[in-house]
Amino acid sequence: MNRLRVTSGPVPALAALWLTTRGLMLWLLLHDSPALLGGGSVAGEVSRLYASWYDILVHGSFPTHDTLWQYPPGAGAVLLTPGLLPWLTYFRAFVVLTLATDALVTAALVRVGRRPGRSLLGAALWTAGLPLLLHIPLARYDIQVTALAVLSLLALRRSPRAGGVLAALGAMVKVWPALVLLGTPRGRATRGAWGWAAGAGFATLAFFAVSFEHPLSFLREQGGRGVQIESLGGTALSLARHAGWSGEPRFQYGAVELVGPHVRAVATACLVLTAVSFALLVLWRVRARRWSEATPFDAALCAVLLFTVTSRVISPQYMIWLVGLAAVCVTSRHTSQRPVAALVLATTALTTLEFPLRYGDVIDGTWTGCLLMLARNGILAAAAVLSFVRLWRATRPDGETVPATEPRPGSDRLLDQALSLS
């Protein structure tokens, strides 16, 4: 891929890139039986796990006593959508709808990027960044939830109410899209977005409570999760194995988690760090004085980065969220997050090395696996810190160091170079 100067508007080139990369992703998904590509586990999650949940949901109940069901009730609606294409198998219908949602996100980013003063760099980042995860995005419903978050952010400026509703629907699928409303400008925009989000969330929850049995069954299983081997805490414990720690990996709650002495303390530390992150975001919100058109985008990326880094679980598909939010940020020339977007791309590429390519090393805790996770999570943590610092500086009253109104040419070059490598 040649270096992209997407600000000139190469929509046909983006369309060709999208078709080419999605074709390759689809081919990998249909040929993922080699161990290097996950041994069939990526596609198998749709054809076996999602399909089994569909059989329960279609009869008006959410899964109960299933340790793998850890999602808000809105996830059930997404998993039911393949039923709209009854002439296809569940697997094929799911993939077709995922590709359609991906195309919708791309089209929305292109439409916004072609407006005066905006950039098509966001569409390019999404188009080139998602394939860095190989075929994983096509076999998880994270593209669907990311689409709701992206559309919410893009709608906020013209219709805070619509942005709030979309964020609430996303939060009903996976909780994190509620964070995209953190950066709405004070006053009418915030009242409209947050008020309509609360109303839409309550109405959606009420609908599921009336229409389905056990809509809150996910809470019990979500609370029982431990420290996943791919999380920041998991990286620390994997390194501790080389220093004599007696713990071991175990498959539970749908992921490989570490069990043994001090794991509960590490899990508690992750929760404390999440609480600290939330406090920092609230402090930013209270202290922020300067808003640009990019501030809601930047705050959304920063918030989700902080909550991802401090999570007990950092699954590969989490990177889909960050790629989507980074893409929204760079649609605006006023964003403070261009270097962060480049780090997100780098982390996404490293995530693919971690899973599925070298997942055996990660599970076994070899030095290769430990160093790979240390690099992935280290860059992710650096991106979160940098994101918060730049967001803080861009919105503080004195406006020093990182102006919210001027893009940095060096940051543009950095992101362009990252895209050229993808």
Side-chain angles (χ1 to χ4, degrees), residues 36-330:
L36 197 63
L37 294 177
S41 62
V42 176
E45 184 148 336
V46 177
S47 57
R48 293 190 293 269
L49 183 60
Y50 288 5
S52 68
W53 285 340
Y54 174 87
D55 291 337
I56 298 172
L57 291 162
V58 78
H59 290 98
S61 176
F62 286 92
T64 57
H65 308 294
D66 184 346
T67 58
L68 302 183
W69 181 255
Q70 305 154 9
Y71 310 106
V78 175
L79 297 177
L80 284 169
T81 55
L84 300 173
L85 305 177
W87 57 90
L88 297 176
T89 64
Y90 185 88
F91 173 79
R92 291 179 178 178
F94 182 91
V95 173
V96 167
L97 292 173
T98 302
L99 281 168
T101 307
D102 176 14
L104 174 64
V105 173
T106 307
L109 291 168
V110 167
R111 182 181 179 184
V112 170
R114 297 182 70 182
R115 293 173 183 167
R118 304 298 284 271
S119 172
L120 280 167
L121 191 58
L125 192 151
W126 172 261
T127 303
L130 210 59
L132 294 177
L133 292 170
L134 303 182
H135 52 308
I136 292 174
L138 299 184
R140 300 293 184 270
Y141 69 90
D142 294 87
I143 284 183
Q144 286 86 331
V145 70
T146 301
L148 290 169
V150 168
L151 295 176
S152 170
L153 286 170
L154 296 180
L156 277 175
R157 188 176 184 185
R158 295 191 174 189
S159 177
R161 294 177 177 180
V165 170
L166 289 167
L169 293 177
M172 285 291 106
V173 180
K174 280 194 173 179
V175 177
W176 69 265
L179 296 171
V180 304
L181 300 181
L182 179 70
T184 52
R186 290 193 181 94
R188 182 179 299 178
T190 291
R191 291 192 298 271
W194 292 12
W196 277 75
F202 178 81
T204 304
L205 191 58
F207 167 79
F208 284 114
V210 171
S211 304
F212 291 83
E213 297 178 358
H214 314 295
L216 301 181
S217 60
F218 73 99
L219 291 174
R220 177 177 58 253
E221 311 306 340
Q222 184 62 244
R225 298 200 72 164
V227 178
Q228 187 174 332
I229 199 168
E230 297 159 290
S231 67
L232 201 62
T235 300
L237 290 172
S238 292
L239 288 170
R241 293 166 72 181
H242 291 277
W245 180 65
S246 60
E248 62 180 8
R250 180 183 300 170
F251 185 82
Q252 55 188 19
Y253 293 96
V256 178
E257 297 184 349
L258 290 163
V259 296
H262 313 300
V263 170
R264 185 176 296 274
V266 172
T268 301
C270 291
L271 293 174
V272 170
L273 288 173
T274 298
V276 171
S277 298
F278 181 74
L280 287 173
L281 291 168
V282 171
L283 178 63
W284 166 80
R285 173 80 193 187
V286 172
R287 295 289 301 274
R289 291 294 181 270
R290 301 173 65 241
W291 256 260
S292 74
E293 67 173 18
T295 300
F297 309 159
D298 296 353
L301 176 60
C302 178
V304 176
L305 264 171
L306 287 171
F307 275 73
T308 298
V309 167
T310 59
S311 172
R312 294 170 294 170
V313 181
I314 308 180
S315 298
Q317 58 264 30
Y318 286 20
M319 298 309 302
I320 299 172
W321 316 345
L322 300 176
V323 170
L325 295 177
V328 175
C329 286
V330 298

Side-chain angles (χ1 to χ4, degrees), residues 50 59 146 150 188 203 261 301 332 347 355 361 372 391 415:
Y50 288 5
H59 290 98
T146 301
V150 168
R188 182 179 299 178
L301 176 60
S332 173
T347 307
F355 180 87
D361 285 312
L372 181 58
L391 176 67
L415 187 53

